[in-house]
Structures are given as C-alpha cells and as structure tokens.
Amino acid sequence: MKIGNLVINDKASLAPMAGVADKAFRELCMDFGACYCVSEMVSSKGISYNSEKSAQLMELSEKEHPCAVQIFGNEPETMAAAAEFALRYKPEIIDINMGCPAPKISSNGSGAALMKDPVLCREIVKAVKGAVDIPVTVKIRKGFDDDNLNACEVALACESGGADAVTVHGRTKTQYYSGVCDLDVIKNVKSSLSIPVIGNGDVCDYESALRMYEYTRCDLVMVGRASLGNPWVFSDINAGFGFGQANKPTLEEKLDVMKLHIEKLCEYKGEYIGMRESRAHIPHYLKGFSGAAKFRNEACKVSTLSDMYALINKVKNS
C-alpha cells in the first residue's frame, strides 16, 4: 500500500498504545515482522510548553522505520506546531489521534471527543497538513457512543482536510476495548474514501487478519493488544500471506525474548523506570503454561534486572 509517497510492504502494522508501545517495544515488533509502527501519543500542548517528556516520546531509533509520530490535541494551530516540531525526529508520517477513549484525554476535548465535531477534525488535519511535507494520517473510532456513530462523516472530513490515510478502530469511545470490533464500520469507511484505510480491532492472528482484509477490503491491518508478550503475531500473519515462516515459540524462546525486551527498556529509560514499566509486559510473556498465574503475581513486584533474571530462572526450573 501507499500512504502519500510512502510504500509499506507486508501485511500487519503495530498500533499505537500509550504506556506500552514505546521505542523498545516498537523495535522488537519491527524485528518480528511488523511493517509499520506508530509512536505513543504525544501532547501537542506538552510540546508547546517545551515538555521534555513529550519530546522524548517522539524519539525514534533507526530500527523502527517506517514509523509515525502520533500527536493529540484540539487546537489546529498547536497541533500544526507540534507536527512541525516532530519532523526533527524524522518520522515518515504524522498521525493525528482522534480515537483515544481515556477520560483524561477525551474530557479535554481531544482524542475520541473530536469525533463530536467533524468540522474541527477537518481544520486540524488541514493545519497539520499545511505544516509538514510528509504524509498525515488520522486514527478514529466507530463513533463517540452508540448515539453518535459517525465514522464515515469524520473520515470524509479528514480526507477533505488533506489526510493521506485513515485508521479505523471498530469500537466506540464508550466501549473502550470491550465487545467485538465492528468490521462493518471499517468496510463502510473504506467504501466511502479514496485514500487508504487501515483496519484496527481484534486482529490477533493470521485468520483474524485475513477476515478483516477480505470483509472490509481495507488496505492494511493494525495489531494492538494481541502483540503484548507476543511479537510473534507479526511473523504469523506475514507467513499466512506467504511472507516468511511462522514461529510458535517455546517457553524458553518467550523468556529469552522477554529478557531482551526488558533489557532494552532499561537501556533506554534507566533501570528504575524500565523495571517498573516492565510490569506491564512480563505477565503477557508468562501466559499459557502451567503455574503461570503464580509467576505473573511475582512479575508485578520486580524492581531490578536481577529480580527479572531470578524470575526467569524460577520459571525455567518449574
């Protein structure tokens, strides 16, 4: 598929996930076959206030391209300035978040709350598009709630503002991640637009990816929660479509990859922060084997790399 002049190969991309899909995790997923990834969302106001933390979220490594920097906010001028600032980190794409369901984001009129105002959505896209010379994409949801199912209207507004592609998560803001992804809304958006559409929601293996492609006719699928502790999902999807080989990892392989992941996390963020953030990842790696529940509880208490190494030895010897 092409987004603007950018060609993206293979079949599955990594979704942006705040607090999870950081640089270390994005690198890992790209190594396992993700064809494209998106940064954690970055506050446009944070950038305007010279927030060091916001700027750090835009940092990209050489291993994670093609990659988009995702920004959020509800003021066209501030969003445009943040997009221009992001160019110093050399992303291939600027992605605009219009789908985050978190109350601290939507209560301020950003994220999924923007779907209540298609005109503002268009103005934000237009401003960002005018500020950068790389493709601009938008991520939306099915709607704000069941009384406001306007994904097509918002997507068309974004397209008219100059968006180069739209990603659709087939749930409403009020659903968060509950229920089932609505493939019909992705299908309807795809049939309404002339720009590429990326489908997001409930893609967890080759079969679900194939189903989304065939039913919605979307141009690319995006994998989110199913990648946690399971970067192999990308090689599995790619193999199903004839690219490379699938790999069903053994417990030892999972532990080895987990070790590399958490070490990289600590390298980038320091051991204190890295190990605390590792608590969101380690339980996912430990799923699916006898006694896993006990070890997942221990995973919530690790504070040092030595703690993790000791946990790995316990699991291997159990």
Side-chain angles (χ1 to χ4, degrees):
M1 66 170 291
K2 289 183 70 175
I3 299 178
N5 293 321
L6 175 67
V7 177
I8 296 177
N9 298 314
D10 294 339
K11 295 296 182 180
S13 58
L14 175 65
M17 292 179 283
V20 177
D22 56 15
K23 182 162 59 172
F25 188 65
R26 295 193 302 268
E27 284 186 357
L28 181 65
C29 290
M30 295 294 275
D31 282 343
F32 275 86
C35 61
Y36 165 62
C37 60
V38 184
S39 77
E40 299 175 83
M41 59 183 181
V42 182
S43 167
S44 58
K45 283 193 173 181
I47 293 300
S48 72
Y49 296 150
N50 297 313
S51 165
E52 183 178 346
K53 182 177 180 181
S54 294
Q56 287 174 347
L57 290 173
M58 291 184 171
E59 292 179 359
L60 308 177
S61 73
E62 293 181 1
K63 296 181 178 180
E64 53 180 311
H65 293 275
C67 186
V69 165
Q70 187 184 78
I71 57 176
F72 74 91
N74 58 9
E75 299 171 352
E77 298 80 7
T78 307
M79 290 286 280
E84 188 174 10
F85 180 89
L87 293 179
R88 66 185 63 188
Y89 298 100
K90 300 187 179 351
E92 280 77 14
I93 290 172
I94 298 295
D95 188 59
I96 301 172
N97 185 311
M98 296 184 182
C100 180
K104 68 178 181 179
I105 304 298
S106 59
S107 63
N108 290 323
S110 301
L114 287 171
M115 296 195 67
K116 294 180 177 181
D117 191 345
V119 173
L120 178 57
C121 292
R122 179 185 183 280
E123 292 306 307
I124 289 174
V125 173
K126 183 178 179 181
V128 172
K129 184 70 176 176
V132 298
D133 58 359
I134 59 175
V136 173
T137 61
V138 182
K139 188 172 185 187
I140 67 173
R141 281 190 167 235
K142 178 180 178 178
F144 189 83
D145 54 32
D146 286 339
D147 295 324
N148 296 277
L149 305 178
N150 63 341
C152 283
E153 181 184 2
V154 171
L156 285 166
C158 292
E159 182 180 41
S160 69
D164 294 284
V166 173
T167 300
V168 185
H169 187 128
R171 290 180 172 86
T172 64
K173 181 268 180 191
T174 54
Q175 277 185 282
Y176 282 74
Y177 302 100
S178 65
V180 177
C181 173
D182 185 348
L183 295 183
D184 285 315
V185 69
I186 301 172
K187 180 180 181 180
N188 292 339
V189 171
K190 172 59 185 173
S191 65
S192 300
L193 301 186
S194 59
I195 56 176
V197 171
I198 302 170
N200 182 212
D202 294 350
V203 175
C204 58
D205 52 23
Y206 165 67
E207 289 74 18
S208 55
L210 179 64
R211 183 164 56 252
M212 181 174 283
Y213 272 119
E214 290 188 336
Y215 188 81
T216 70
R217 300 297 176 185
C218 66
D219 300 278
L220 184 67
V221 300
M222 192 164 265
V223 181
R225 291 169 295 157
S227 65
L228 299 179
N230 183 32
W232 296 269
V233 66
F234 296 103
S235 55
D236 174 48
I237 292 172
N238 289 340
F241 287 106
F243 299 94
Q245 293 184 334
N247 178 21
K248 299 300 181 184
T250 64
L251 172 60
E252 187 154 346
E253 287 173 327
K254 281 191 171 186
L255 294 173
D256 287 344
V257 170
M258 180 185 82
K259 176 176 174 289
L260 290 172
H261 178 187
I262 304 309
E263 287 175 340
K264 184 62 70 173
L265 186 59
C266 291
E267 177 186 334
Y268 285 145
K269 300 186 178 183
E271 188 171 358
Y272 181 84
I273 294 175
M275 288 311 302
R276 277 149 185 79
E277 293 189 2
S278 77
R279 297 168 187 172
H281 293 280
I282 294 175
H284 292 285
Y285 284 103
L286 300 182
K287 284 182 179 178
F289 68 94
S290 179
K294 170 190 172 184
F295 293 116
R296 287 201 300 272
N297 288 334
E298 289 191 38
C300 295
K301 302 173 184 177
V302 293
S303 297
T304 65
L305 283 168
S306 294
D307 291 342
M308 181 187 68
Y309 299 146
L311 176 61
I312 288 173
N313 287 331
K314 281 186 182 181
V315 174
K316 286 184 176 180
N317 295 323
S318 65

